[in-house]
Amino acid sequence: MPRKSPPITIKEEGTQVIFKQWQLKDFDVDGGLAAGAHIGSGGPAWLDVDVPGDTYVALANAKRIEDPFRGRNENDLGWIAQHEWWWRTQFSISPAEAGEQIELIFEGLDTFAAVYLNGVLLGQTNNMFREWRFDVREHLRNDAENELAIAFTPPSKMLEASKPPLWVLATEKVAVSKRNLMRKAQFGWGWDWGPCLPTVGVWQPVRIERWKQSRITDLHFATQSIAAHEADVVVEAEIELLSEGKALTAEISIFDPKGKLLLKKGVSAQPKIRVALKINEPQLWWTADLGKQPLYTVMLRVLDGETVLDTRKQLVGIRTIALDTSADVDEPGTNFFRFVLNGVPIFARGANWIPATSFVGAMEESRYRDLLSTAVQANMNMMRVWGGGVYEFKAFYDLCDELGLLVWQDFMFACAPYPENEEAFVDNVRHEVQHQIKRLRNHPSLALWCGNNECQVIQDLINQMSKTDTALMGASYYDSLMPKAVGELDPTTPYWPGSPYGGGSPNSMRAGDVHNWTVWHGIPLVPDKELIGTIDRSPEGVAYTRYAEDQGRFISEFGIHAAPVKATLQRWMNPEDLELGSQGFLDRIKDEPKDKVNAMLIPVTGLPETLDQYIAFTMFTQAEGLKFGLEHFRRRKPHCSGTLIWQYNDCWPCVSWSLVDYDGVGKASYFATARAYAPVMASFKSLGDGEIALWITNDTLAQVSGDLLIEQLSFKGDVDWRVPVSFNAAANGSAPVWKGKAPDSVRDRVICVYSATNQFAPNRFLFAPVKDLMLATEVPPQIAIEKVSNHELHVAITSKNYLLFVHLTAEDPETRFSDNYFDLRPGEIRVITVKNKIKPLSSDSIALHSWNN
């Protein structure tokens, strides 16, 4: 289960308020109030719970339920969402001084909650994505401990009389959950990769603020423009003033990344201030592949003479970000969709981020760091925070700033029509949007605000299939409310109405971004306005080679299912369910039908007969399919300017589209992606008629020149021919450097390319599907293992034959590999670093496999 953290400590001015251990207990609906839960009673059997935290985690820690992710336990936990849950704690606080204000602040309550302090109802909440503030000065006990209690009412009770807006197709789950009527994480009601475990509780920090005379309520830093030796920046702030007419000073200071004071400016403290400044010789913030991530500190102080009334600090980066949607004159009738960082058009290489656990309040910062660092190691420069999850914790965005990952940020709307004519709901959304923009806008990693996930495209698909022209319910949010808020609060960050969106229809390949679900779901491509063809889930209809038909500008979703490594399944599943086709295994596949992957496997690997084969076959197909797609899309730059794979991570242990499984283990596709995302990439393109071309794609900002070697050889290691090629790859460009023969249906040969100076990762071209290849099996590979320490091994692998899909496995899913799932040329030596932070490693800890055996 996720972390168990210490009690929260909240700082006041000069003192501390310590919330003692929080507790929770469930009652029948409306039962807690009658039992006195709001006044510190409620009977026995209260359980300890962390804040931020999660009800499921607390129940599992107390052994009241089994771990929801283990075995088939998910199916037994539906009762949790139907109970009333009370969370409570106690705290002491020093008496309020004359004129002092005291507020109790909840950064996130999930979701329908009533807040009681010392038996008094402070108010009710109905949005897990908003901050909630309560004036508590008059309700505090200064001579005794204060009782804070929060009652969470089941959404089904709150919405039992409400009918959600529904589409005419595929709406059964929405009709039951009514998720589009509540401002709550949508994925918690189940998705085609996630379980139905709707969360409840205090999922974000709680704090108390106390202040006199003045406090800073907001601080905003924005880069306006960058010239050769200076940057124009703006600092804006909102200050709450109790003593109007009194001359207070607002002092702005900016410190460089090493902490040196660069400038200081004082102005009169007003409710709103805006100061334009120039920073000489600015150190620019770049993505990890293009440069460094220097962070400046902006400090604002409000002073009454020499007395400091309030201080706020903010880490910021100096950078500009823009979205170029101008005409692409080299492909007439199309438009670019590319991000421009510090004036440089970039190719976005990334993936879609979903919540890294179903229990969002129990997310650990260390888990963020592991996953995001692993993304950077895979040469990613962007992560899309998907609109059916949550606006992530501050730690997520801080790490993206630190690591050099751009963030495409969806607002939390996904795959549903949303009510837009109910004033209270609209006002709730407006407050959410404004709060999240203010919360996140200072992060230099923030690259885009996006209205939703797939709302426009699903409505368009339904209209095309039903020959109707129904307007999208919720469009006013994406077309008016959100862009207005972004324009007012964060005008230097681009806004986009949805994903996908643009062109003659939302999924047009001529403009905007595209979700390619031709591969996997069989949904037709949209060249401009209309679907071409019908839904085709045959092996031919979903083949990953169909990525080559996609001429989109930016591919923000595309993916293929694969199982996690067996060690992950063994950790979480019942032993008797570790069989292909068992109910426990099928429960780990949320997409329907459960055997949808078969259509993709048939032409590539054939169908599996065992669980081990299922893991290997799905891993290989996902890796090869994404490799094929990424190479195609990157070769098309600048006409295509980005790919965001669906999906990067998992929220629970399952079979899904993820590159990295729930335990943090990279699938074969992770390593294939890392190679295909390298800033400099060599890739083969089939030209048909027995010819292929080699392309060099260069995402760096400098020309890359060198020599490479192309060779055709048998799987036994005999070289048919070898061609040296000198190349010059233009900065930020992609072009062919060689053309040659590639006859069809050669089953015992492979064409390889590699650089003696390692300017790019080796690559190859296979003449036939892997199931038809005549791989050499006569001579086994050689392996030498050096024990560097108890927790690190160096594994050297070599072979006389050409080895396909070489990979190491471990019984412990905490084991990590520096590289994996690669091909090995005859005579090549590949050294892999193996680490496990927790358990000691030995030669018995790992095993070597390849497709040859």
Side-chain angles (χ1 to χ4, degrees):
M1 293 296 292
R3 57 123 191 235
K4 183 174 178 63
S5 61
I8 296 295
T9 299
I10 309 298
K11 288 187 177 181
E12 295 184 60
E13 289 184 358
T15 63
Q16 287 186 333
V17 175
I18 299 179
F19 290 85
K20 295 185 177 180
Q21 178 65 54
W22 288 72
Q23 296 179 310
L24 65 77
K25 183 178 179 180
D26 60 311
F27 297 87
D28 293 334
V29 175
D30 297 329
L33 202 62
H38 63 307
I39 56 174
S41 183
W46 288 76
L47 305 178
D48 290 343
V49 62
D50 300 321
V51 168
D54 176 86
T55 295
Y56 294 88
V57 174
L59 293 172
N61 287 339
K63 307 301 182 184
R64 182 172 167 186
I65 64 171
E66 297 296 323
D67 189 320
F69 290 167
R70 196 168 299 283
R72 304 186 190 183
N73 294 337
E74 176 207 352
N75 303 324
D76 300 327
L77 300 177
W79 62 272
I80 293 175
Q82 303 304 319
H83 280 216
E84 177 180 285
W85 292 93
W86 283 73
W87 291 45
R88 72 180 186 185
T89 189
Q90 296 178 325
F91 66 93
S92 300
I93 187 169
S94 56
E97 299 178 8
E100 187 177 31
Q101 306 298 306
I102 304 179
E103 281 189 331
L104 175 63
I105 300 168
F106 299 93
E107 295 184 20
L109 295 175
D110 181 11
T111 293
F112 296 103
V115 180
Y116 294 87
L117 179 61
N118 297 323
V120 176
L121 176 64
L122 298 180
Q124 296 177 314
T125 75
N126 59 357
N127 188 329
M128 74 178 288
F129 303 130
R130 285 177 59 182
E131 181 181 80
W132 299 92
R133 292 173 173 258
F134 300 99
D135 183 347
V136 296
R137 188 177 187 276
E138 302 301 322
H139 305 294
L140 290 168
R141 298 170 181 162
N142 296 321
D143 57 350
E145 287 193 324
N146 293 274
E147 299 280 350
L148 176 60
I150 308 164
F152 293 93
T153 302
S156 58
K157 170 68 174 178
M158 297 298 297
L159 301 173
E160 62 183 349
S162 302
K163 292 185 178 180
L166 299 172
W167 282 318
V168 297
L169 298 174
T171 60
E172 295 86 356
K173 290 184 178 180
V174 177
V176 173
S177 69
K178 302 182 182 181
R179 63 175 176 82
N180 54 342
L181 293 181
M182 65 188 95
R183 297 310 302 141
K184 176 175 173 60
Q186 306 283 274
F187 86 106
W189 301 101
W191 219 264
D192 54 8
W193 38 260
C196 183
L197 296 169
T199 51
V200 55
V202 185
W203 82 286
Q204 291 275 11
V206 181
R207 70 182 192 273
I208 283 179
E209 284 186 2
R210 54 193 305 172
W211 59 286
K212 293 184 294 185
Q213 286 190 269
S214 176
R215 68 169 169 180
I216 301 164
T217 58
D218 188 58
L219 179 63
H220 180 214
F221 174 93
T223 307
Q224 301 293 303
S225 63
I226 298 170
H229 298 286
E230 67 179 18
D232 290 320
V233 303
V234 168
V235 176
E236 297 176 308
E238 295 180 10
I239 303 173
E240 193 166 349
L241 301 167
L242 286 184
S243 50
E244 292 186 12
K246 184 162 184 167
L248 302 180
T249 302
E251 180 188 86
I252 299 168
S253 301
I254 297 182
F255 302 84
D256 74 7
K258 291 186 177 180
K260 178 183 177 182
L261 178 65
L262 294 181
L263 55 87
K264 181 185 294 185
K265 186 175 180 65
V267 298
S268 173
Q270 301 294 329
K272 291 188 177 183
I273 62 173
R274 187 178 192 276
V275 179
L277 302 166
K278 288 186 181 293
I279 296 180
N280 295 322
E281 304 298 335
Q283 302 176 52
L284 301 187
W285 186 95
W286 291 96
T287 50
D289 56 323
L290 296 180
K292 297 182 179 180
Q293 297 75 49
L295 297 176
Y296 289 71
T297 300
V298 177
M299 181 174 73
L300 176 65
R301 300 197 302 173
V302 179
L303 301 101
D304 181 0
E306 297 297 319
T307 303
V308 178
L309 301 179
D310 199 6
T311 302
R312 181 173 291 197
K313 293 182 180 180
Q314 177 71 52
L315 286 175
V316 299
I318 298 175
R319 64 96 180 97
T320 59
I321 191 75
L323 184 63
D324 177 14
T325 57
S326 63
D328 181 354
V329 295
D330 291 329
E331 291 193 350
T334 70
N335 294 81
F336 288 116
F337 187 95
R338 60 182 176 180
F339 290 91
V340 181
L341 177 63
N342 298 328
V344 176
I346 66 170
F347 191 100
R349 307 186 307 270
N352 286 262
W353 173 277
I354 65 170
T357 172
S358 292
F359 312 123
V360 291
M363 182 64 183
E364 300 171 288
E365 183 173 342
S366 61
R367 187 170 176 84
Y368 279 133
R369 182 171 290 278
D370 286 346
L371 285 168
L372 293 173
S373 298
T374 300
V376 173
Q377 291 163 13
N379 298 305
M380 294 187 186
N381 60 18
M382 179 175 279
M383 197 66 70
R384 175 186 172 218
V385 179
W386 170 76
V390 297
Y391 307 94
E392 289 290 346
F393 278 84
K394 181 177 181 293
F396 173 91
Y397 303 95
D398 287 345
L399 284 166
C400 288
D401 294 344
E402 173 191 328
L403 296 171
L405 273 172
L406 289 171
V407 175
W408 169 317
Q409 178 67 54
D410 282 7
F411 289 104
M412 293 299 115
F413 295 78
C415 302
Y418 290 87
E420 56 186 349
N421 298 318
E422 300 172 19
E423 184 176 347
F425 192 89
V426 174
D427 188 60
N428 199 2
V429 170
R430 181 180 294 107
H431 279 88
E432 169 192 326
V433 167
Q434 292 172 345
H435 169 66
Q436 293 297 339
I437 293 172
K438 286 186 173 183
R439 187 174 80 92
L440 301 180
R441 63 184 176 176
N442 286 319
H443 290 279
S445 56
L446 182 64
L448 184 76
W449 291 104
C450 178
N452 71 84
N453 175 77
E454 294 188 342
C455 293
Q456 291 102 332
V457 75
I458 294 176
Q459 183 68 67
D460 181 72
L461 178 64
I462 291 171
N463 287 349
Q464 289 202 43
M465 294 177 67
S466 61
K467 307 300 182 184
T468 58
D469 192 24
T470 304
L472 171 64
M473 187 171 290
S476 63
Y477 300 129
Y478 323 128
D479 298 340
S480 178
L481 188 153
M482 291 173 183
K484 180 181 179 183
V486 172
E488 292 175 352
L489 300 174
D490 192 16
T492 58
T493 301
Y495 171 80
W496 196 244
S499 182
Y501 187 85
S505 73
N507 214 30
S508 170
M509 294 191 293
R510 304 190 71 79
D513 67 309
V514 167
H515 288 191
N516 184 319
W517 289 114
T518 300
V519 178
W520 184 259
H521 287 307
I523 298 173
L525 291 166
V526 185
D528 187 15
K529 295 183 179 181
E530 297 181 354
L531 301 168
I532 298 300
T534 59
I535 293 177
D536 181 0
R537 291 180 177 164
S538 69
E540 297 76 20
V542 301
Y544 65 68
T545 51
R546 294 200 66 189
Y547 284 135
E549 302 172 25
D550 193 334
Q551 303 298 297
R553 312 290 102 190
F554 190 109
I555 319 303
S556 49
E557 278 193 23
F558 64 108
I560 299 168
H561 252 212
V565 296
K566 192 170 186 180
T568 296
L569 295 177
Q570 288 173 325
R571 172 186 272 187
W572 296 102
M573 291 176 60
N574 296 330
E576 64 271 19
D577 282 333
L578 290 168
E579 296 287 342
L580 193 61
S582 72
Q583 188 57 52
F585 181 72
L586 295 177
D587 286 348
R588 302 275 161 176
I589 305 173
K590 295 301 183 181
D591 193 25
E592 298 286 350
K594 306 284 188 179
D595 62 353
K596 189 182 288 186
V597 73
N598 288 357
M600 298 209 68
L601 300 181
I602 287 169
V604 180
T605 61
L607 294 178
E609 297 180 358
T610 65
L611 180 60
D612 287 334
Q613 284 188 344
Y614 184 93
I615 294 169
F617 289 12
T618 58
M619 283 254 199
F620 183 88
T621 301
Q622 184 190 40
E624 286 295 295
L626 292 182
K627 172 183 182 292
F628 183 92
L630 292 174
E631 291 175 352
H632 163 70
F633 296 129
R634 288 191 66 191
R635 283 194 298 264
R636 276 185 40 73
K637 72 177 293 185
H639 313 299
C640 177
S641 294
T643 52
L644 302 177
I645 297 166
W646 187 269
Q647 63 209 61
Y648 179 63
N649 57 314
D650 279 325
C651 70
W652 79 307
C654 65
V655 178
S656 79
W657 295 270
S658 69
L659 305 179
V660 178
D661 71 27
Y662 178 75
D663 281 344
V665 182
K667 298 180 183 179
S669 58
Y670 168 80
F671 295 97
T673 294
R675 292 186 281 271
Y677 268 166
V680 179
M681 177 190 72
S683 66
F684 290 104
K685 178 183 180 180
S686 175
L687 304 177
D689 297 325
E691 288 190 321
I692 59 171
L694 178 71
W695 286 58
I696 301 294
T697 302
N698 177 16
D699 284 358
T700 74
L701 305 184
Q703 177 178 291
V704 175
S705 302
D707 298 311
L708 57 83
L709 205 60
I710 305 171
E711 61 184 17
Q712 178 176 299
L713 64 157
S714 73
F715 289 129
K716 291 183 178 181
D718 301 320
V719 177
D720 297 332
W721 51 259
R722 182 177 290 132
V723 177
V725 176
S726 296
F727 69 93
N728 292 293
N732 215 359
S734 186
V737 298
W738 173 86
K739 185 169 69 173
K741 295 293 183 181
D744 294 333
S745 300
V746 178
R747 299 171 58 199
D748 63 347
R749 293 291 192 271
V750 61
I751 293 180
C752 300
V753 60
Y754 55 94
S755 163
T757 53
N758 297 317
Q759 289 176 291
F760 52 81
N763 208 342
R764 45 85 169 146
F765 179 86
L766 297 175
F767 294 95
V770 66
K771 68 182 180 65
D772 298 328
L773 295 178
M774 299 172 61
L775 297 172
T777 59
E778 295 84 355
V779 182
Q782 294 178 312
I783 181 171
I785 300 176
E786 175 191 358
K787 186 172 183 178
V788 179
S789 70
N790 282 339
H791 298 278
E792 181 175 342
L793 305 175
H794 288 177
V795 181
I797 308 167
T798 189
S799 173
K800 291 184 178 181
N801 301 327
Y802 187 97
L803 297 183
L804 187 70
F805 209 56
V806 179
H807 56 284
L808 297 168
T809 59
E811 292 185 359
D812 182 10
E814 297 297 331
T815 303
R816 300 289 181 263
F817 303 97
S818 61
D819 196 7
N820 219 352
Y821 301 96
F822 50 84
D823 287 7
L824 194 67
R825 300 190 315 276
E828 179 186 3
I829 300 174
R830 190 76 63 95
V831 179
I832 308 302
T833 299
V834 184
K835 294 183 179 181
N836 189 312
K837 296 179 182 179
I838 300 172
K839 293 183 178 180
L841 292 170
S842 69
S843 58
D844 296 331
S845 303
I846 57 173
L848 175 66
H849 313 267
S850 76
W851 206 267
N852 299 54
N853 61 2

